[in-house]
Amino acid sequence: LSVGVLIVGLAGATANTFVSGALAGSPSERMGGSVLAASGLDPGLFLDESKLTFSGWDVDPRGADEIASAHGILPSAAIKAASESLDAIRALPAYVGGYDTEEARVSEHSRPIEDPQGAIEGVAADIEAFRSEHGLERCIVVLLGPPLRAQPVESGFGDTNSALSSSACYALGALRASCGVIDFTPNVTLEMPEVLEAATAAQMPLAGRDGNTGQSLLKTVLGQMFKIRNLRVRGWYSTNILGNLDGKVLSRPEHRGLKMSDKLGVLEPILGYEDFDHVVDISYYLPRGDDKEAWDNIDFSGWFGTRMTMKVNWLGSDSALAAPLITDLVKHVDHAMRAGLRGHLPHLGLYFKHPLGSPIEPLANSYRTLMDFYTSNDKEQ
Ligand SMILES: NC(=O)c1ccc[n+]([C@@H]2O[C@H](COP(=O)([O-])OP(=O)(O)OC[C@H]3O[C@@H](n4cnc5c(N)ncnc54)[C@H](O)[C@@H]3O)[C@@H](O)[C@H]2O)c1
């Protein structure tokens, strides 16, 4: 029996890199960037990637091999070797509502959400059909769709529930079909009261939100250093240039609000003060594709108020940074499902810019929380 992973945004750069890596690479190639791989925790606690079966939804119906070649993130030899199994992975038509992107709303490979209850039932039926086709033991849904137009957390069902976003329909459908849910996006889905209630009723875990892959992760490390060393931050200017679809969507003011607040929110809790200039900018720059550049300029003062500056320039593949974290998260959520945990998972704060169920903490602290969770569970067993 294997575990099913259904991804919202299956054709996206991050989802496709995760799926292609799971099917195309060797176990040692997949270890780079994985927190779990370096943790020293017993691998026997977690499921093996070879036990995963993939499906999902997207407005792009192409096979995963064609998409992987178009993204060009993994080596072409690896994609070629797994071409047959990748070609079989094609997205189901996406559920698309009023908060979705322009690209999604004009796509023909979609099911417009006219009646959210119908969409929730449709998602659950898609999952059940996949589960019985492959004889799956458990299923996990991973939200990797685009940052939607900001939906108020409380907007929920209301009288007509006409205001429900596609991501809320996916999450509620997933819970109806007894799946754990991971949200790697900046959307508010897993904070909505209806979703929390459904997770309690279904006794299912929720992990989110907004993957902590690069620049914000760096802030959880450097921020602690400035704090411990008592070097007073006067200003922190962060800019990002990226040329993938995520960058294009984030260049639109109506889609970038939550991502900006997640990026801006990570530093103050670590420094313990707010009276400094914190500027974050995200620019869409097509030539870069998935190879993002994050540039940070930090102005700070020390002994006798002496002024100093630090500059950090991180050039990296956005999706290759994210894929191993998603592999880890699937393993954590599968473990939580087997352990009967439900609702937000506080031990997974390390993985998110805006952790649900735990405070924003320096990396060393959130790593300790993660390790303590598994080592104290071990002791109880
Ligand atoms: N890669 C990273 O480093 C990283 C870090 C933190 C957060 N994230 C978030 O993860 C998400 C995915 O990032 P990405 O770079 O893969 O983006 P992407 O734009 O490449 O992928 C999003 C996919 O969702 C699809 N989609 C759009 N509307 C849909 C709908 N209604 N239903 C199903 N699919 C739909 C799109 O067609 C696209 O294939 C984004 O929200 C991004 O902000 C990524």
Side-chain angles (χ1 to χ4, degrees):
L1 284 178
S2 68
V3 171
V5 178
L6 296 102
I7 307 179
V8 176
L10 181 66
T14 306
N16 180 269
T17 306
F18 160 61
V19 172
S20 312
L23 295 175
S26 65
S28 65
E29 283 168 319
R30 278 193 296 271
M31 285 169 80
S34 156
V35 177
L36 268 183
S39 68
L41 291 171
D42 175 6
L45 283 171
F46 304 101
L47 74 91
D48 190 281
E49 291 94 293
S50 63
K51 292 242 163 75
L52 298 178
T53 305
F54 298 100
S55 182
W57 303 264
D58 204 296
V59 293
D60 184 342
R62 289 177 296 163
D65 59 335
E66 192 183 339
I67 295 169
S69 303
H71 286 312
I73 295 161
L74 288 185
S76 48
I79 298 166
K80 208 168 162 198
S83 161
E84 207 173 307
S85 44
L86 286 171
D87 186 51
I89 298 173
R90 287 165 187 270
L92 298 162
Y95 293 88
V96 175
Y99 294 94
D100 271 282
T101 59
E102 235 175 272
E103 290 84 351
R105 281 186 285 152
V106 298
S107 163
E108 287 183 359
H109 192 63
S110 67
R111 292 172 268 191
I113 303 172
E114 275 142 22
D115 155 33
Q117 282 301 344
I120 294 165
E121 279 160 27
V123 169
D126 290 344
I127 297 170
E128 294 300 356
F130 174 64
R131 198 198 303 267
S132 65
E133 185 189 342
H134 296 278
L136 300 167
E137 198 170 357
R138 285 178 295 284
C139 286
I140 295 170
V141 168
V142 187
L143 302 177
L144 275 170
L148 301 176
R149 287 161 201 266
Q151 176 175 34
V153 178
E154 301 287 344
S155 68
F157 285 103
D159 288 339
T160 59
N161 71 36
S162 59
L164 220 53
S165 64
S166 57
S167 65
C169 293
Y170 285 121
L172 289 164
L175 292 166
R176 188 164 296 187
S178 300
C179 301
V181 184
I182 298 166
D183 193 354
F184 210 73
T185 80
N187 300 320
V188 295
T189 317
L190 301 190
E191 289 140 275
M192 294 173 68
E194 294 78 5
V195 173
L196 290 171
E197 269 167 41
T200 305
Q203 308 222 0
M204 282 294 135
L206 306 172
R209 73 169 215 242
D210 205 355
N212 198 15
T213 49
Q215 188 170 61
S216 300
L217 177 69
L218 190 76
K219 285 179 180 172
T220 66
V221 178
L222 283 183
Q224 187 186 37
M225 181 202 78
F226 284 109
K227 168 99 174 154
I228 291 174
R229 186 65 171 73
N230 199 22
L231 295 167
R232 177 86 190 182
V233 172
R234 297 172 45 246
W236 196 308
Y237 182 96
S238 301
T239 192
N240 302 265
I241 52 174
L242 74 167
N244 57 17
L245 182 59
D246 193 35
K248 187 174 185 182
V249 173
L250 287 169
S251 71
R252 300 174 188 150
E254 67 277 20
H255 287 279
R256 69 189 293 164
L258 286 163
K259 179 72 93 181
M260 292 296 281
S261 74
D262 286 353
K263 277 179 160 281
L264 282 164
V266 100
L267 201 46
E268 287 82 350
I270 289 172
L271 292 173
Y273 50 85
E274 297 174 357
D275 54 336
F276 62 99
D277 269 347
H278 191 184
V279 175
V280 175
D281 191 31
I282 305 172
S283 295
Y284 176 57
Y285 178 57
L286 185 63
R288 270 306 159 86
D290 193 64
D291 292 327
K292 171 175 160 165
E293 178 162 356
W295 181 80
D296 285 87
N297 174 92
I298 309 145
D299 291 299
F300 57 99
S301 56
W303 178 245
F304 283 83
T306 313
R307 295 191 169 194
M308 296 171 246
T309 299
M310 180 185 291
K311 290 178 196 286
V312 184
N313 195 354
W314 185 336
L315 294 97
S317 161
D318 217 19
S319 301
L321 283 166
L325 299 186
I326 294 163
T327 312
D328 279 10
L329 283 165
V330 166
K331 294 181 180 197
H332 289 302
V333 168
D334 177 69
H335 178 280
M337 286 171 80
R338 284 184 279 121
L341 302 183
R342 62 183 187 213
H344 295 152
L345 298 177
H347 59 290
L348 301 184
L350 174 151
Y351 289 91
F352 299 107
K353 288 197 235 337
H354 186 109
L356 302 177
S358 60
I360 293 168
E361 289 186 301
L363 180 66
N365 303 30
S366 53
Y367 183 63
R368 176 57 36 218
T369 304
L370 179 74
M371 296 300 282
D372 284 351
F373 172 82
Y374 286 108
T375 48
S376 60
N377 270 9
D378 266 0
K379 276 179 217 132
E380 279 163 28
Q381 281 162 12

